[in-house]
Amino acid sequence: MLNFHKNDLIDATLVRYYQSFEHTLDTVDYVPEKYNQKICQYIFKNMKRTFRKIDREDRKYQRQLRKGGGDGVS
């Protein structure tokens, strides 16, 4: 079963993080490379954390649907 809500959440997350990357590209000329690498690592870490949250909520939602809980919204 396709979950379009999960895809919408993933799209919104990617848009937000791509905007963060866009801001780091503007600073490449005058911010040291070492600091930019730390920023990128931080962005990736938070993006992975957000995807884990989305997956966790999706599992709850799918479990709710299988139990016959209707739309899964509480």
Side-chain angles (χ1 to χ4, degrees):
M1 176 169 140
L2 290 175
N3 184 354
F4 295 106
H5 181 66
K6 180 179 178 181
N7 291 335
D8 291 339
L9 290 173
I10 289 172
D11 289 342
T13 300
L14 288 175
V15 166
R16 187 174 54 201
Y17 284 102
Y18 287 150
Q19 288 172 349
S20 298
F21 281 122
E22 180 181 322
H23 293 298
T24 62
L25 291 176
D26 293 341
T27 63
V28 168
D29 294 335
Y30 54 89
V31 174
E33 182 66 28
K34 185 177 180 180
Y35 187 71
N36 269 334
Q37 286 177 350
K38 286 183 181 184
I39 291 171
C40 288
Q41 289 172 351
Y42 178 75
I43 290 170
F44 275 124
K45 182 177 85 171
N46 285 325
M47 187 168 54
K48 288 192 322 189
R49 184 181 303 146
T50 303
F51 282 137
R52 283 194 300 266
K53 285 181 185 178
I54 290 172
D55 287 339
R56 194 173 324 138
E57 290 301 319
D58 183 56
R59 283 193 298 273
K60 288 180 189 176
Y61 176 77
Q62 295 296 333
R63 195 174 304 128
Q64 185 84 15
L65 284 179
R66 274 182 273 160
K67 287 184 179 180
D71 60 359
V73 177
S74 350

